[in-house]
Amino acid sequence: MRKLLNTVYILQEQAYLTLDGENLVCKIDGETKLRIPFENVENIVCFNYLGCSPALMGKCVSKTIPINFISPQGKFLAKVCGETKGNVFLRVQQIDKFRAEGLLLTQNTMAAKFSNCRQLIRRTLHDNAELREDENVQKVLEVLKEGIDKVYEAESIEEIVGIEGFCAKNYFSIFNKLITNKKVDFEFQLRTKHPPLDPVNALLSFVYTLATNEVAAALETVGLDSYIGYCHTLRSGRSSLACDLVEEIRCIVERFVITLLNLKIVGEKDFEQKISGAVWLNEDGRRKVLSKWQEKKRSTMTHPYLKQKIPRGLLPYVQSNLLAKYVRGEISTYPSFLLK
């Protein structure tokens, strides 16, 4: 099992990353602010405009350390990574397997997603008795349950995508009820993505981006091509397979966001609204969210398939390894992540 190391987040927009021997160096206005040995770095996520030196990118490629470039508002821009580990035969197997078993994989992934959404709602109901009799909440639980049955009746991936859209619309219609601290500074009305139009959507989009980048990095380490998926359509520059796998762990992102709001870790002062209507986390807001996200990644969980305790930050690597074993034919079925 891969050792859980650190993800380095560069939040200062005017920061510049460079190389000094075996060290990653962060400079602002020519002054060194941070120096980290490469042995302590697993992943680099940059929210800065100035980027990094070619020498640093070359070093990261040689050490298979991905560098993710994200706008200060949280939009994924590009990724630099090393050569995919493994060999060409695994990638051929990946394409063949996804073509042959894409429908079944999509069915299992979406069924797991709906099940995990139900578990998240049930957890809130367990902690908040007044919601247990809420008709809208009970209706959504039933819609998600029916969604699980419907995906296995579907005859095409396109049909499943339609079912997923209907279930997601219903799920987010009660999302605001899951934010049980009524003293929060804002409410969630509906899911808006490009761009997010309120603070809750801004939080969701920001952390979804982090999770997707982590899954993409994990897939590269096990030799799978993160751009070749089975559910999301192929699109130049999009890690379609990472988008597929992140569907299973969206519940973790959503629970994380709900916790941030219920505990009032973030508030109105951590966001900024643009003239266009878009709402983004500001630098202080990003710092708070990333600090808590790293803290969550270090916490432990029992993996439902392995029956072993692992750091939560290793979940993308565990699922990527299981998918690679499935592609190679070492296991008969890819076990989607199910929240217990």
Side-chain angles (χ1 to χ4, degrees), residues 83-293:
E83 181 181 2
T84 300
K85 292 184 178 181
N87 55 56
V88 68
F89 298 108
L90 177 60
R91 301 178 79 177
V92 171
Q93 286 178 298
Q94 176 182 347
I95 295 171
D96 291 343
K97 180 71 79 171
F98 289 176
R99 283 177 176 170
E101 304 292 340
L103 178 59
L104 178 60
L105 283 166
T106 302
Q107 289 170 327
N108 290 342
T109 292
M110 291 307 171
K113 176 180 180 177
F114 300 159
S115 174
N116 291 341
C117 287
R118 282 171 54 84
Q119 287 296 99
L120 188 152
I121 295 171
R122 284 172 171 171
R123 176 176 173 177
T124 302
L125 297 184
H126 180 269
D127 297 334
N128 297 272
E130 66 274 13
L131 283 178
R132 295 172 194 170
E133 304 302 322
D134 188 293
E135 292 183 3
N136 291 329
V137 173
Q138 293 302 321
K139 177 184 175 182
V140 171
L141 285 171
E142 188 61 29
V143 166
L144 292 169
K145 181 180 179 181
E146 292 175 356
I148 296 173
D149 296 329
K150 287 180 179 178
V151 295
Y152 286 110
E153 297 170 358
E155 298 180 354
S156 69
I157 293 175
E158 291 74 19
E159 186 178 350
I160 295 173
V161 170
I163 296 169
E164 188 276 336
F166 178 75
C167 289
K169 182 178 179 180
N170 277 269
Y171 171 66
F172 281 114
S173 73
I174 64 156
F175 195 77
N176 194 62
K177 294 178 183 290
L178 306 182
I179 304 170
T180 54
N181 184 346
K182 302 309 177 184
K183 295 182 180 180
V184 294
D185 298 325
F186 27 70
E187 292 187 353
F188 177 88
Q189 299 296 329
L190 75 163
R191 181 76 177 110
T192 55
K193 304 176 184 178
H194 307 295
L197 299 178
D198 60 69
V200 180
N201 275 294
L203 276 172
L204 288 168
S205 293
F206 183 78
V207 188
Y208 283 148
T209 298
L210 295 178
T212 303
N213 288 337
E214 290 167 5
V215 173
L219 288 166
E220 295 289 344
T221 66
V222 300
L224 293 173
D225 191 327
S226 66
Y227 291 89
I228 301 175
Y230 52 83
C231 175
H232 286 80
T233 55
L234 301 184
R235 182 186 301 171
S236 180
R238 180 171 75 176
S239 298
S240 294
L241 184 54
C243 292
D244 292 342
L245 290 195
V246 86
E247 295 289 353
E248 304 170 8
I249 61 175
R250 280 179 180 267
C251 57
I252 294 176
V253 171
E254 291 148 9
R255 186 69 230 176
F256 174 72
V257 167
I258 289 170
T259 300
L260 291 179
L261 294 170
N262 283 339
L263 297 182
K264 296 205 71 174
I265 293 170
V266 293
E268 279 187 325
K269 64 182 181 299
D270 297 310
F271 299 87
E272 58 184 54
Q273 185 166 5
K274 302 298 183 180
I275 297 176
S276 63
V279 176
W280 306 107
L281 278 161
N282 58 29
E283 184 176 332
D284 286 341
R286 293 196 299 271
R287 182 174 286 107
K288 290 178 182 179
V289 173
L290 291 171
S291 174
K292 291 298 180 181
W293 183 245

